[in-house]
Amino acid sequence: MRFHIVVPITIVYTGLTIGHPGILAPRTTCSTPDGDGTCQSTSSCTGFSVAGYCSGAASNQCCIVESCSTASGTGTCLDTSKGCSGGTFVSGACPGSSSIQCCVKSFTPPPTGDLAALDISSAQSASFWSCVAKSYQKVVIRGYFQACSEGGAVDTNLLTSYNAARAAGITNIDSYAFFCTGTQATGVACKSPSTQITELQNYIAYNNLQLGHLWFDIEPASGACNAFNLGGTANEALAKQFTAIMDSSSYKWGVYGNGNQWPSMFPARSTDVGSNLPLWAVQDDGKPGVGTVTTFMGGWTTALAKQYNLDDSVCSGSVDLDTFSA
């Protein structure tokens, strides 16, 4: 999963490589006969670029990110010169010149009895939801994040994404929580496990969200926000505080975790912090199917779900790919 620090701003700026000085240039909107987009460098455009509609350098062009649908599946309109990594170009489904074609990445259905799923950590476009609804039966939406300047906070994109998913016809929805669990450079202490869990559950109840499972995301992180950096014994004790509360909750909680990361957080790979809860196992091997999980830890010998592709792109959105037991 990915971690996002949410900072309110009024202008969207182009990114700079860390360590290189420069001036942040605002991205302005642009409109072309092939669609609307934003002015940005052709090298940073994740869709296709149209020249002549943006001021500045020749490389500053109108970047249009558009989903497309073909008999072979759904995809994203790209210039063929960029290539279609992990997929195939299909012509006739995109606006613009003949070099703008639909990049359709191969969709591998899960084994019979499993559900094709994906998880997201940020809000997505309306076209994303209508596109993924054609192939995916389940979605997991981030509901709580570290927010290390606050000690943890509800991710209000949960409600937006939940409504968008249901509007597109996806009703099998879970949520995951990446709680504040470390010592932070900000000096702000994480809220207690009880407070963080209660904040999320109250938000869900207030908005009457009909969710299947809630997932406790256990993974290390460092940088702007730290996670499980207290040392093995303290990390174990903290994780058990969370899972004890979850075990007695009226909501159905589970644990998301990677067996290969377990020893970096806890005294041993075998450390059990909550194996009485179902497991969503991380095994980034590109193979869908809950039955293909082999990297167990912490007392688990079976899994309810598997995350098999991290940091993927589907329907012009940033996602992780998963398989869930039906």
Side-chain angles (χ1 to χ4, degrees), residues 13-103:
Y13 292 97
T14 56
L16 292 176
T17 302
I18 295 174
H20 289 72
I23 299 173
L24 293 173
R27 284 182 182 170
T28 57
T29 58
C30 47
S31 182
T32 81
D34 299 328
D36 298 330
T38 57
C39 292
Q40 58 184 274
S41 169
T42 53
S43 62
S44 63
C45 179
T46 57
F48 64 95
S49 300
V50 181
Y53 295 90
C54 297
S55 60
S59 61
N60 191 43
Q61 300 183 13
C62 191
C63 174
I64 301 171
V65 180
E66 183 167 327
S67 298
C68 45
S69 182
T70 76
S72 303
T74 56
T76 303
C77 292
L78 296 176
D79 193 307
T80 53
S81 65
K82 287 190 171 184
C84 179
S85 178
T88 305
F89 278 117
V90 179
S91 61
C94 293
S97 68
S98 59
S99 66
I100 308 302
Q101 298 185 15
C102 189
C103 172

Side-chain angles (χ1 to χ4, degrees), residues 19 39 46 79 91 122 160 164 176 179 195 211 219 226 253 270 272 300 303:
C39 292
T46 57
D79 193 307
S91 61
S122 58
T160 302
Y176 76 89
F179 291 119
T195 297
L211 301 172
E219 60 182 305
N226 299 312
W253 279 92
S270 59
D272 187 339
W300 285 285

Side-chain angles (χ1 to χ4, degrees), residues 9-314:
I9 55 176
T10 56
I11 299 176
V12 178
Y13 292 97
T14 56
L16 292 176
T17 302
I18 295 174
H20 289 72
I23 299 173
L24 293 173
R27 284 182 182 170
T28 57
T29 58
C30 47
S31 182
T32 81
D34 299 328
D36 298 330
T38 57
C39 292
Q40 58 184 274
S41 169
T42 53
S43 62
S44 63
C45 179
T46 57
F48 64 95
S49 300
V50 181
Y53 295 90
C54 297
S55 60
S59 61
N60 191 43
Q61 300 183 13
C62 191
C63 174
I64 301 171
V65 180
E66 183 167 327
S67 298
C68 45
S69 182
T70 76
S72 303
T74 56
T76 303
C77 292
L78 296 176
D79 193 307
T80 53
S81 65
K82 287 190 171 184
C84 179
S85 178
T88 305
F89 278 117
V90 179
S91 61
C94 293
S97 68
S98 59
S99 66
I100 308 302
Q101 298 185 15
C102 189
C103 172
V104 180
K105 295 193 175 183
S106 56
F107 171 73
T108 305
T112 302
D114 286 350
L115 301 177
L118 48 81
D119 63 84
I120 61 170
S121 59
S122 58
Q124 306 290 333
S125 66
S127 61
F128 166 86
W129 290 109
S130 59
C131 176
V132 299
K134 297 174 184 177
S135 301
Y136 295 89
Q137 302 147 297
K138 184 180 182 74
V139 64
V140 188
I141 304 166
R142 189 176 70 177
Y144 202 95
F145 68 118
Q146 289 172 291
C148 51
S149 62
E150 305 173 48
V154 169
D155 186 342
T156 54
N157 279 325
L158 170 59
L159 178 59
T160 302
S161 297
Y162 173 89
N163 288 334
R166 291 187 67 89
I170 302 174
T171 57
N172 192 336
I173 304 172
D174 289 359
S175 181
Y176 76 89
F178 190 60
F179 291 119
C180 184
T181 58
T183 55
Q184 308 302 335
T186 60
V188 176
C190 291
K191 297 171 185 175
S192 70
S194 177
T195 297
Q196 293 188 71
I197 292 171
T198 299
E199 286 181 346
L200 175 58
Q201 292 184 162
N202 284 349
Y203 183 84
I204 292 168
Y206 178 81
N207 290 287
N208 194 31
L209 305 186
Q210 304 302 305
L211 301 172
H213 278 85
L214 304 180
W215 297 96
F216 176 22
D217 182 347
I218 299 181
E219 60 182 305
S222 60
C225 290
N226 299 312
F228 288 108
N229 66 340
L230 308 175
T233 301
N235 285 340
E236 178 183 356
L238 179 61
K240 286 180 175 179
Q241 288 183 54
F242 277 101
T243 56
I245 298 168
M246 294 167 182
D247 193 38
S248 61
S249 169
S250 60
Y251 289 88
K252 294 190 293 184
W253 279 92
V255 171
Y256 165 99
N258 185 332
N260 293 328
Q261 293 179 333
W262 219 246
S264 69
M265 295 182 287
F266 304 118
R269 189 183 185 112
S270 59
T271 300
D272 187 339
V273 299
S275 63
N276 53 309
L277 302 175
L279 174 67
W280 175 8
V282 182
Q283 189 170 304
D284 188 17
D285 57 6
K287 300 176 182 178
V290 177
T292 63
V293 175
T294 58
T295 55
F296 291 107
M297 73 294 188
W300 285 285
T301 56
T302 61
L304 186 67
K306 176 187 178 183
Q307 187 181 79
Y308 65 90
N309 255 20
L310 279 73
D311 301 323
D312 211 323
S313 177
V314 171

